[in-house]
Amino acid sequence: MAKVVKVVATVICDSVYEKRQIFATARDYDEFKSQWEFPGGKVEAGETPQQALVRGKKKN
């Protein structure tokens, strides 16, 4: 059976109605280095997706 990894991501844009800009980050590690991704990460045991996003924000 495949291992299940829960991840969470957020999309931040300049306007709900007229999306002209979307925030993304460039990875600086692993085989996907220099590729774009949305902010987020793995959800750790015992935390909610919202807590994982806040934890990820505090690391940067």
Side-chain angles (χ1 to χ4, degrees), residues 3-50:
K3 180 179 178 181
V4 175
V5 178
K6 291 184 179 182
V7 296
V8 64
T10 186
V11 177
I12 303 168
C13 61
D14 59 347
S15 170
V16 174
Y17 305 106
E18 296 182 33
K19 297 166 189 70
R20 294 187 182 136
Q21 296 180 345
I22 296 176
F23 176 77
T25 58
R27 292 177 71 105
D28 62 354
Y29 58 94
D30 70 21
E31 69 270 19
F32 301 108
K33 185 175 181 171
S34 299
Q35 293 188 18
W36 294 100
E37 67 180 353
F38 293 118
K42 295 177 184 171
V43 179
E44 295 180 356
E47 75 179 350
T48 66
Q50 294 84 356

